[in-house]
Amino acid sequence: MATRAIFKRMAGKAGLTVDLATISRKRLPGNTIPGVQTKEAHCVIAVSDKHARRFRLCKCRAPVFAQSAIRMDSAARCADARPFRFLFAGLAETLFRPMEKHNPMSFCSSRFIMALLIVFAFPVNAAEQELDPLIVTATRQPARASELLSDITVVDREEIERSAQESIADLLSKQSGIQQTTSGGPGTETSFYVRGARPEQTKILVDGISMNSMDLSGSPLRFLPLAGIERIEILRGPASTLYGADAIGGVIQIFTRRGEPGLRMNAFAGYGTRNTLKNALALSGGNEQWRFWVEGNHASSDSVSARKHATQRDADKDSYRNGGAAASLSFLPAKGHELGLSYRQNEGLTRFDSSNQPANGNFDNRTRFKIAQWSIYSRNKILDAWTSRFQYGESEDIQRTFDTWLPGGALLNTVNRQLGWQNDIRLPALGKALFAYEYQEQHASPRRDYSQAPKISTTSFLAGWSGHYGAHRWQASARGDNNSRFGQKTTHSLAYGYQLTKTLRAYTSYGTAFKAPSVYQLFVPNYGNINLKPETARNTEAAIFWEKGAHTTSVTLYRNRLDNLIEYSFVANRYMNISKARLEGMTLAYTGHIGDWSMRAAYDWLNAVNEDTRKRLGRRTRNSVSLTAGRRWGAVSAAIELITSGRRFNDNSETKATEMGGYTLINLTSRYAINRNFSLEARLNNLFDKKHETVYGYNTLGFNAFAGFRYSPQ
């Protein structure tokens, strides 16, 4: 009753009157969706406002999703109400009564806070189903989230679809511990800083195969479509003992979609502002032995001019287009055995502006790109306690850039080859052991652009052990990497956790990691340095988790010390190991469900500094907040997102002239399920058209909208 009183007082200050009454609750009969609890909550909701045009009475049947995704309905409405009329009406009436000025702070201080209090106003019970998905990336072996001794997030397929995001970059930017920078609209240079580490210090994997590129201008993930992604696992913190070089900041692993028994088709078509278009079509099927997946996708946008205050041709819109296809096939000859292969490719063109100061270029700057990946694997259960997995794969990142300096085009081609053999052994009463061998190779072309053959290779052996006894948990691993350029490098990690109470657990860990010099840093003429040493890291962290039913709250503290950082020396006119850095921070996170409502909140504090100069590292903010609240009313679901980022500097010298201010963005999403197979989705980004930048002098998207139609058989 106290929360109701608070809610009514807040509503009164906002000029609203609300009457809430619960009539009855009972279980719904019939089938339920896997991972979903359903119940029937009959409620009478009357909302009046001197600016509103209608009263609404609803009788809702609302499924409570036991997922990490956050949903919020934009209108209190029934399953049989007309979808378009109410798609954003309820949220708009509740939060956005006419204002003389667009004042985001006024919005946040009254109606936004009131909207959050709605979560506690409805008298519904919290779902008691554990949110405990299976996760692979944290240990390279399937494990429950509650058993892990690491900081990890899973974004599943349901969350991908219901968030109505347009790209992986948009999706990752809302995850705790990740800061994103972009130099314009879709397809332009996009970088991810995981716990403050540089973009190339985070390992990028797609189905276990490395996608890391020599391209220092951004992650190849910006070219990968969401249509074929089943889930994303984000491991924050050094992980070189499991994944080798480049995993100083963490690991982002993409798992693609696969076929299932039966025959089904998936389709999506959407259109948005700036002539943004997205289409995808997939066919999958099979039986108990054979399964396949075939997919085609396309995306394009007129976008915006990449540079701010641009003139001449730099002032035009920098368009983007991307098309591709993917296919996979698997064969299960017997229980515990599987053979499979997959291939995917995307190619297109992205335009950008010159680097002139000011931006007054008159050339059609553009990059033609192609990313491709293929792999084969064999998973075999040799004994009840022994499972073996063999995999070989290749990935390729081809970019040909045309600009004023090289109007004929400059080619940058990165090829990664990877061979792996992993053995998982279950130890009676002692947990699980891991033994693996890996061979990785990276080379670049064309050969004439490098002083030596642009190729490096690494042979690795690793061992791991994880388990629990009573309230105790542990995870230990060690790895030896033999690099063709700098020789042997050994990394190790150790984590210990303890179940303090039924709902409270904690862990602490220590681990080492490294980043190998890239082919470009080693062999580019004039500036390369074949004597470069690997960058190294030593990380210590501790965390405490409170988990009860559908609620999880955590506090994570970490400190990562980096040595031998590779930077360009203007004194030596080449790349050198010349600096040290300290990455320390704290993450507060909450995920939970209260009846038909879901919430996710995170606060990140990051102190990323150069140990030699004591200056903050560029393009990282110290403080960031993300908050999402969502609800379902029958067939309609919606969510409101708030993203706040503090000020940052563009370089590592804290230059005031290139300081970028903080910002707060508010987004709305909504989804209407026409039936079990068809749905309509809509998204409003940057609702107040906030002007902001994450790279000095470069635009980001202002207000934009996107809506789509999805066919996804259940």
Side-chain angles (χ1 to χ4, degrees), residues 530-574:
I530 61 173
N531 296 315
L532 287 173
K533 299 177 182 179
E535 300 173 330
T536 59
R538 294 167 291 129
N539 181 76
T540 304
E541 68 181 82
I544 187 166
F545 291 78
W546 178 80
E547 298 162 324
K548 184 176 181 180
H551 303 270
T552 300
T553 302
S554 63
V555 181
T556 305
L557 303 172
Y558 61 89
R559 173 173 290 178
N560 196 0
R561 293 188 177 275
L562 281 62
D563 294 311
N564 291 329
L565 291 182
I566 301 172
E567 295 183 3
Y568 183 79
S569 170
F570 289 95
V571 176
N573 288 323
R574 60 177 180 170

Side-chain angles (χ1 to χ4, degrees), residues 46-260:
V47 180
S48 68
D49 186 314
K50 64 182 180 181
H51 299 286
R53 296 184 178 180
R54 66 180 72 86
F55 286 81
R56 295 184 303 282
L57 297 177
C58 78
K59 186 177 181 182
C60 305
R61 293 202 321 180
V64 181
F65 280 74
Q67 302 279 352
S68 61
I70 310 299
R71 319 286 179 247
M72 173 176 173
D73 273 292
S74 58
R77 56 174 301 278
C78 299
D80 57 353
R82 287 180 291 176
F84 298 104
R85 181 177 180 182
F86 292 99
L87 195 60
F88 282 110
L91 189 59
E93 287 179 358
T94 305
L95 301 179
F96 305 120
R97 48 194 294 260
M99 295 180 288
E100 287 74 16
K101 296 181 180 180
H102 289 286
N103 187 340
M105 294 307 296
S106 173
F107 163 82
C108 291
S109 62
S110 61
R111 289 163 181 77
F112 180 70
I113 296 175
M114 185 199 70
L116 297 183
L117 291 176
I118 293 175
V119 172
F120 305 101
F122 288 90
V124 288
N125 297 323
E128 291 300 323
Q129 183 170 338
E130 293 289 340
L131 305 180
D132 207 10
L134 280 173
I135 296 173
V136 176
T137 306
T139 61
R140 292 183 60 137
Q141 299 171 317
R144 292 291 177 186
S146 61
E147 301 172 354
L148 298 176
L149 307 178
S150 53
D151 185 11
I152 194 162
T153 297
V154 178
V155 183
D156 60 20
R157 183 64 201 174
E158 183 181 349
E159 181 173 353
I160 292 172
E161 291 186 0
R162 291 184 178 273
S163 65
Q165 296 288 357
E166 295 183 38
S167 68
I168 290 182
D170 295 331
L171 195 64
L172 291 177
S173 67
K174 296 170 179 58
Q175 308 304 318
S176 62
I178 298 181
Q179 297 185 27
Q180 175 202 321
T181 63
T182 181
S183 302
T188 56
E189 297 179 5
T190 303
S191 299
F192 303 104
Y193 297 83
V194 179
R195 284 190 176 179
R198 293 199 314 266
E200 63 272 20
Q201 292 173 336
T202 295
K203 191 83 169 184
I204 306 297
L205 301 171
V206 177
D207 292 330
I209 303 299
S210 173
M211 286 284 289
N212 286 66
S213 171
M214 291 186 306
D215 178 21
L216 301 180
S217 66
S219 170
L221 283 181
R222 67 188 188 273
F223 302 135
L224 194 64
L226 279 173
I229 294 176
E230 180 64 28
R231 73 182 190 278
I232 304 173
E233 295 184 359
I234 304 164
L235 173 62
R236 290 172 286 268
S240 285
T241 54
L242 295 175
Y243 297 101
D246 305 333
I248 285 180
V251 177
I252 299 175
Q253 179 154 209
I254 310 294
F255 294 89
T256 59
R257 304 182 74 177
R258 294 289 189 264
E260 298 177 354

Side-chain angles (χ1 to χ4, degrees), residues 342-399:
S342 64
Y343 178 81
R344 65 176 46 253
Q345 175 181 309
N346 275 80
E347 57 182 280
L349 182 142
T350 179
R351 286 185 163 85
F352 59 96
D353 291 335
S354 72
S355 57
N356 296 358
Q357 297 293 344
N360 58 4
N362 205 26
F363 186 82
D364 181 20
N365 300 285
R366 61 199 185 278
T367 297
R368 295 187 180 276
F369 64 86
K370 174 184 174 183
I371 59 170
Q373 181 196 45
W374 70 269
S375 67
I376 57 174
Y377 67 90
S378 174
R379 181 179 58 83
N380 305 97
K381 189 173 184 179
I382 300 174
L383 299 173
D384 285 343
W386 177 15
T387 300
S388 172
R389 179 182 172 90
F390 172 87
Q391 184 178 32
Y392 177 80
E394 296 185 6
S395 66
E396 187 172 28
D397 179 11
I398 304 174
Q399 299 184 42

Side-chain angles (χ1 to χ4, degrees), residues 467-489:
H468 65 89
Y469 180 78
H472 304 271
R473 295 188 179 96
W474 61 86
Q475 181 182 337
S477 56
R479 181 184 181 112
D481 292 275
N482 189 5
N483 186 277
S484 60
R485 296 305 309 178
F486 57 79
Q488 188 72 22
K489 186 65 182 176

